[in-house]
């Protein structure tokens, strides 16, 4: 644990971590200091002056909280009259040329300027001259739309492209009321993390063309989740909403701060992967191309499995540990071979040294931990003599259709337990709809052996059964995710003393000793 | 303070009254008296001859909704969802889209009001920052043969004109 210091805020004693700046240190104990330009990932810039606080008997008596480390005995003034006046004045400056766009602005509801105005100002405008008008709806590329009028020139976006992506596409040009955030002529934003700019922008100056006007943010239900876009397993918020007479759908993914895995950001691919959760879903059970009832389909599958001489079960590397375990158990029950073959999920050279990985499978380490063979040789050789393939949502053609494999699959009788309608499942005689990762809870292990738990976020009108439930209906003994754990603990040494209930929100590193498990 | 007790004298205990028959005849005399008087001359009835004679609606009356336009004919609504947010019966369903007429950036592509669920409280009108939704159509009779046709769309809401002139509406507190 870091060293703690005692200081006074508005005369009240609080104990905070030393070394942190006042904004971060006091946030932990629930004291909010308003700020625009400071962001923990981008450091203190000190340009917005919103976080000015008074230090009693201090030299100087007024300091920006973002640049001031918490010190023993410090007497911080937050609600003194002169501090309140500073906050009001800074807001008045920010609002001189700020348009009253709130009704049409996507940021409304999660806008720092709006919130601070309500908490610290509420003054009427004193300006009697025409507002300076600037450019609106400027396409910055990579799905970022800029509105110059709403900008408060905090420079977070500029610092993001310089410090995080090191691409430096943005800059602030000109001064005073002619200052604008801009791209260089003909050089739009071109990096794979650009949409984080929309998240970090404290106001509505940066909006996402993908989310633009789709929904007002106060309608969205924000549930934590884990991105299944690659093996990094970034922490996300799943923002979803059920419109009247409609189904629960996801509107966007946002980065959730997790210093152990992804820090403050996620990649654009992962952010936009929410769309796949809404589209192209397998919603009904089908047999030989025609829709049948789900229970009927389960009966059929059971029958086929009982009849099969040597079935082969293929699990997806995206499944949760519990689901993999459940499939493993029913594979033993039916005397089936088990494979986790998923080479197609690896796209060589796609990853980078930041968050994106070559391997697009969310739980490959889980396959390894549960000792499920994912070699190509084993899968191909088993596929030769098997008379029934049960594919648990494994997209063998993730990186394009493999003709050789397709010919082989077409020859084999197969059953697909699938969440999406994909080319790989076309050859299946029976297809069972199943839940995708936002519709069930479980645990996955990312590429760095960080075990993370996530809960069911979406509740569809017709809730799809998840893989674990389907294995239960096929005769498996595991009734739900918690019931998979005694078995997992017994057979996997690395998970021997894991209780899924006590996995911290930022995950648990399975490989390293305690020191890495202490939150940063 | 103690509770005051007042004894009420009970009536109707005389022999004649307890026979009932006399009282029934007395009552029927009054009823039939009214009946024949109205039958012979109905001009003095205290009843509105609805639907032949329609009631007079004031500008403050909250009738069926409509969406208003600017003077140049463009839609006033900017799809800010304030009415939907404020609606206690959750009967407004909006979808927003890009706007190209230079007025603003945003406009509704779908604006549905489910009149079966609406409780005509007028909160949507109060919430609207653009004065885009009003309940001044003077339409008080909202009936239909099917549920589907009770959901009004954007076009229908824009088509309906207001029943009052601007001044009268403003005077009514609009």
């Amino acid at each position: 644990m870091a060293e703690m210091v005692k200081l006074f805020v508005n005369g009240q004693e609080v104990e905070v971590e030393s070394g942190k700046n006042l904004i971060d240190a006091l946030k932990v104990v629930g004291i909010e200091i308003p700020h625009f330009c400071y962001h923990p990932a981008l450091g203190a810039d000190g340009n917005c002056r919103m976080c000015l606080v008074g230090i009693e008997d201090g030299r100087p008596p007024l300091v920006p909280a973002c640049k001031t480390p918490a010190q023993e005995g410090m007497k911080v003034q937050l609600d003194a009259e002169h501090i309140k006046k500073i906050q009001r004045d800074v807001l008045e400056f920010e609002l001189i040329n700020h348009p009253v766009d709130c009704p049409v602005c996507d940021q409304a509801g999660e806008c720092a300027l709006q919130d601070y105005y309500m908490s610290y100002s509420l003054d009427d405008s004193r300006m009697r001259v025409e507002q300076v008008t600037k450019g609106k709806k400027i396409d910055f590329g990579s799905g970022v739309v800029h509105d110059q009028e709403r900008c408060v020139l905090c420079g977070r976006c500029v610092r993001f492209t310089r410090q995080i992506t090191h691409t430096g596409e943005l800059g602030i040009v000109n001064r005073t009321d002619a200052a604008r955030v801009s791209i260089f002529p003909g050089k739009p934003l071109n990096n794979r993390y650009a949409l984080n700019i929309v998240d970090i922008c404290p106001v509505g100056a940066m909006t996402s063309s993908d989310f633009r006007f789709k929904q007002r943010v106060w309608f969205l239900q924000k549930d934590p989740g884990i991105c299944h876009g690659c093996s990094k397993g970034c922490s996300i918020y799943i923002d979803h909403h059920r419109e009247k007479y409609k189904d629960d759908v996801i509107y966007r993914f946002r980065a959730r701060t997790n210093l152990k895995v992804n820090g403050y950001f996620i990649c654009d691919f992962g952010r936009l992967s929410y769309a796949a959760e809404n589209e192209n879903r397998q919603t009904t059970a089908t047999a030989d191309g025609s829709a049948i009832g789900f229970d009927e389909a389960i009966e059929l599958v059971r029958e086929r499995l009982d009849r099969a001489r040597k079935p082969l079960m293929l699990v997806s590397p995206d499944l949760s540990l519990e689901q993999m375990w459940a499939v493993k158990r029913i594979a033993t029950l039916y005397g089936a071979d088990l494979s986790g073959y998923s080479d197609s999920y690896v796209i060589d050279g796609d990853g980078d040294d930041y968050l994106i990985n070559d391997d697009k499978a969310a739980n490959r380490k889980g396959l390894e931990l549960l000792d499920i063979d994912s070699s190509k040789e084993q899968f191909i050789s088993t596929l030769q003599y098997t008379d029934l393939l049960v594919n648990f949502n494994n997209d063998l053609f993730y990186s394009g259709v493999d003709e050789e494999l397709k010919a082989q699959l077409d020859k084999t009788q197969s059953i697909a337990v699938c969440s999406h309608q994909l080319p790989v499942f076309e050859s299946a005689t029976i297809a069972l709809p199943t839940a995708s990762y936002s519709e069930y809870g479980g645990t996955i292990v990312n590429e760095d052996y960080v075990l993370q738990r996530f809960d069911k976020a979406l509740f569809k009108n017709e809730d799809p059964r998840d893989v674990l439930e389907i294995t239960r209906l096929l005769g498996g003994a595991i009734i739900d995710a918690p019931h998979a754990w005694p078995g997992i603990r017994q057979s996997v040494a690395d998970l021997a003393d894991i209780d899924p209930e006590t996995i911290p929100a930022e995950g648990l590193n399975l490989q390293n000793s305690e020191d890495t498990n202490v939150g940063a | 303070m103690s509770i005051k007790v007042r004894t009420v004298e009970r009536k109707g205990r005389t022999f004649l009254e307890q026979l009932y028959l006399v009282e029934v005849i007395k009552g029927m005399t009054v009823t039939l008296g009214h009946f024949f008087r109205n039958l012979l001359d109905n001009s003095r009835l205290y009843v509105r001859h609805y639907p032949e004679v329609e009631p007079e609606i004031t500008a403050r009356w909250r009738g069926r909704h409509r969406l208003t336009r600017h003077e140049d004919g463009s839609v006033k609504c900017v799809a800010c969802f304030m009415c939907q947010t404020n609606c206690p019966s959750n009967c407004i369903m909006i979808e927003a889209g890009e706007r190209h007429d230079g007025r603003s950036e945003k406009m509704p592509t779908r604006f549905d009001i489910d009149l079966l669920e609406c409780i005509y409280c007028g909160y949507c009108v109060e919430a609207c920052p653009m004065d885009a939704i009003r309940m001044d159509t003077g339409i008080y009779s909202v009936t239909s043969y099917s549920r589907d046709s009770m959901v009004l769309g954007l076009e229908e809401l824009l088509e309906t004109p207001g029943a009052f002139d601007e001044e009268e509406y403003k005077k009514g507190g609009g």
Side-chain angles (χ1 to χ4, degrees):
Chain A
M1 280 308 268
E3 202 188 324
M4 302 298 274
V5 289
K6 282 190 178 127
L7 48 81
F8 299 88
V9 181
N10 303 333
Q12 250 189 333
E13 196 185 62
V14 290
E15 202 174 338
V16 299
E17 222 172 285
S18 77
K20 280 188 174 180
N21 67 44
L22 284 175
I23 293 181
D24 282 344
L26 293 180
K27 195 179 175 186
V28 178
V29 291
I31 299 168
E32 200 72 40
I33 299 175
H35 58 279
F36 292 114
C37 70
Y38 173 70
H39 187 283
L42 306 171
D45 204 41
N47 70 55
C48 74
R49 315 315 283 172
M50 192 65 205
C51 69
L52 282 179
V53 293
I55 307 291
E56 213 177 311
D57 313 323
R59 288 286 174 273
L62 266 183
V63 291
C66 65
K67 281 186 181 283
T68 311
Q71 281 163 14
E72 182 76 40
M74 208 176 220
K75 287 180 181 144
V76 182
Q77 297 169 317
L78 275 178
D79 62 355
E81 271 317 308
H82 67 292
I83 302 300
K84 283 186 184 168
K85 186 173 183 320
I86 288 169
Q87 291 169 342
R88 268 204 312 277
D89 290 351
V90 171
L91 278 171
E92 190 172 16
F93 266 127
E94 297 291 8
L95 290 168
I96 285 177
N97 287 316
H98 194 87
V100 192
D101 266 354
C102 304
V104 294
C105 178
D106 275 337
Q107 189 83 5
E110 52 183 14
C111 172
L113 196 57
Q114 206 179 32
D115 293 345
Y116 293 159
Y117 175 76
M118 296 309 285
S119 330
Y120 301 103
S121 168
L122 287 177
D123 290 338
D124 288 329
S125 174
R126 288 187 290 168
M127 294 305 288
R128 295 290 169 265
V129 291
E130 286 257 311
Q131 284 195 331
V132 178
T133 52
K134 301 178 191 172
K136 293 179 94 71
K137 205 188 158 192
I138 300 164
D139 186 9
F140 269 7
S142 296
V144 178
V145 180
H146 180 52
D147 187 309
Q148 291 176 334
E149 285 187 348
R150 296 177 194 158
C151 181
V152 292
L153 295 166
C154 68
R156 277 191 191 178
C157 49
V158 177
R159 281 177 287 148
F160 177 82
T161 58
R162 287 181 188 168
Q163 295 172 21
I164 307 292
T165 61
H166 305 292
T167 44
E169 295 102 330
L170 297 176
I172 296 177
V173 292
N174 291 331
R175 292 168 42 138
T176 66
D177 62 6
R180 283 128 172 74
V181 169
S182 175
I183 47 174
F184 294 93
K187 292 222 159 60
L189 278 173
N190 181 24
N191 65 69
R192 298 165 81 189
Y193 299 92
L195 286 173
N196 285 302
I197 292 173
V198 178
D199 271 4
I200 57 171
C201 181
V203 294
M206 299 288 186
T207 51
S208 152
S209 63
D210 180 71
F211 181 65
R212 197 171 157 88
F213 303 156
K214 288 280 167 16
Q215 193 53 271
R216 299 318 303 253
V217 296
W218 53 83
F219 290 125
L220 298 176
Q221 197 181 330
K222 293 147 190 165
D223 284 318
I226 308 289
C227 177
H228 279 47
C230 77
S231 58
K232 188 77 186 177
C234 296
S235 294
I236 52 167
Y237 281 111
I238 299 172
D239 290 359
H240 60 106
H241 172 59
R242 184 199 306 275
E243 255 191 279
K244 202 171 186 186
Y245 306 133
K246 290 190 182 172
D247 209 351
D248 207 356
V249 291
I250 305 177
Y251 283 89
R252 60 175 181 182
F253 283 168
R254 280 179 307 133
R256 179 160 58 95
T257 304
N258 183 348
L259 298 178
K260 221 178 211 171
V261 179
N262 56 315
Y264 299 88
F265 307 112
I266 56 173
C267 72
D268 288 358
F269 172 78
R271 188 183 294 270
L272 298 176
S273 66
Y274 81 90
E277 288 290 279
N278 297 335
E279 293 158 8
N280 199 24
R281 294 295 299 271
Q282 178 84 28
T283 47
T284 50
T286 57
D288 299 316
S290 53
I292 55 167
F294 187 83
D295 300 332
E296 207 181 326
I298 285 282
E299 274 313 306
L300 264 178
V301 175
R302 280 188 86 142
E303 214 174 277
R304 298 256 169 105
L305 270 170
D306 283 332
R307 252 197 337 220
R309 191 173 27 82
K310 196 67 197 160
L312 166 63
M313 292 190 179
L314 178 66
V315 292
S316 157
D318 276 342
L319 295 185
S320 71
L321 278 176
E322 293 88 344
Q323 292 172 337
M324 286 178 181
W325 177 252
V327 175
K328 197 174 173 182
R329 294 307 301 272
I330 63 155
T332 345
L333 188 75
Y334 285 104
D337 284 310
L338 185 62
S339 170
Y341 171 65
S342 47
D343 287 358
S344 73
Y345 281 73
V346 181
I347 300 172
D348 277 324
D350 188 59
D352 58 16
D353 55 357
Y354 188 37
L355 295 176
I356 303 171
N357 265 294
D358 285 350
D359 187 359
K360 305 298 173 195
N363 197 14
R364 180 162 322 266
K365 288 287 184 280
L367 278 179
E368 288 169 21
L369 282 171
L370 294 180
D371 201 22
I372 295 170
D373 196 338
S374 52
S375 65
K376 186 170 185 171
E377 298 77 40
Q378 184 255 2
F379 177 67
I380 297 295
S381 62
T382 325
L383 193 61
Q384 302 288 347
Y385 66 79
T386 187
D387 55 346
L388 181 65
L389 168 71
V390 187
N391 185 349
F392 286 96
N393 216 9
N394 187 327
D395 184 6
L396 289 166
F397 303 150
Y398 186 94
S399 45
V401 177
D402 180 344
E403 290 301 335
E404 203 181 320
L405 187 61
K406 190 173 184 335
Q408 186 67 250
L409 285 173
D410 287 343
K411 274 190 283 179
T412 319
Q413 190 192 176
S414 68
I415 293 167
V417 178
C418 51
S419 58
H420 292 75
Q421 291 177 342
L422 298 170
V424 67
F425 303 127
E426 275 165 15
S427 57
T429 46
I430 303 174
L432 283 173
T434 188
S436 193
Y437 61 90
S438 57
E439 294 143 14
Y440 60 77
T443 48
I444 55 171
V445 185
N446 86 346
E447 47 143 14
D448 303 317
Y449 286 99
V450 177
L451 177 73
Q452 295 189 86
R453 178 167 158 255
F454 59 98
D455 288 325
K456 183 178 162 95
L458 249 68
F459 290 84
K460 291 279 191 188
N461 290 341
E462 273 179 49
D463 226 8
R465 290 346 129 97
D466 85 289
V467 167
L468 200 141
E469 170 82 2
I470 287 169
T471 61
R472 186 182 71 78
L473 294 169
L474 292 176
I478 297 159
I479 52 169
D480 57 9
H483 280 84
W485 275 93
I488 296 176
R489 272 194 286 265
Q490 223 168 33
S491 63
V492 185
D494 283 345
L495 302 171
D497 36 45
I498 301 289
D499 177 8
E501 292 298 316
T502 59
I503 297 171
E506 74 271 14
L508 195 71
N509 200 318
L510 296 174
Q511 219 173 27
N512 300 13
S513 53
E514 275 168 27
D515 51 279
T516 49
N517 279 330
V518 176
Chain B
M1 222 176 88
S2 64
I3 301 163
K4 276 185 190 163
V5 181
R6 205 176 118 222
T7 314
V8 180
E9 188 198 340
R10 297 199 61 129
K11 292 183 177 171
R13 288 288 186 184
T14 65
F15 176 71
L16 265 186
E17 279 165 342
Q18 283 194 330
L19 270 181
Y20 293 116
L21 210 59
V22 183
E23 291 301 305
V24 169
I25 292 165
K26 269 185 180 173
M28 286 311 288
T29 321
V30 174
T31 307
L32 289 173
H34 280 290
F35 176 72
F36 285 112
R37 195 161 55 243
N38 291 336
L39 198 68
L40 295 173
D41 173 19
N42 67 6
S43 65
R44 289 188 304 163
L45 264 180
Y46 290 112
V47 177
R48 180 171 287 140
H49 291 239
Y50 182 81
E52 286 81 17
V53 181
E54 294 194 346
E56 205 174 287
I57 301 293
T58 67
R60 295 179 61 175
W61 171 268
R62 296 193 297 268
R64 212 207 71 193
H65 325 67
R66 72 175 178 119
L67 288 176
T68 56
R69 291 178 187 272
H70 288 288
E71 273 152 26
D72 63 359
S74 56
V75 180
K76 271 193 186 173
C77 178
V78 294
C80 68
F81 289 63
M82 286 302 136
C83 49
Q84 185 181 333
T85 308
N86 218 18
C87 180
S89 64
N90 209 357
C91 70
I92 304 177
M93 289 149 280
I94 308 172
E95 266 165 35
E98 208 72 44
R99 185 174 193 141
H100 303 288
D101 62 6
R103 277 276 177 191
S104 165
E105 297 188 321
K106 199 179 174 187
M107 70 184 296
T109 53
R110 168 175 165 242
F111 196 110
D112 289 353
I113 298 182
D114 191 338
L115 294 176
L116 287 174
E117 303 225 14
C118 179
I119 57 168
Y120 297 91
C121 63
Y123 280 12
C124 49
V125 182
E126 270 182 56
C128 185
M130 296 300 293
D131 191 20
I133 188 167
R134 285 189 183 179
M135 295 175 90
D136 65 347
T137 54
I139 301 174
Y140 49 82
S141 167
V142 186
T143 52
S144 172
Y145 287 107
S146 70
R147 283 175 180 275
D148 295 344
S149 60
M150 292 297 273
V151 180
L152 289 191
L154 185 62
E155 285 308 311
E156 282 167 285
L157 288 166
L158 281 167
E159 264 167 26
T160 324
F164 309 96
D165 61 51
E166 203 61 26
E167 211 173 305
E168 213 179 332
Y169 181 77
K170 287 269 147 58
K171 214 163 42 182

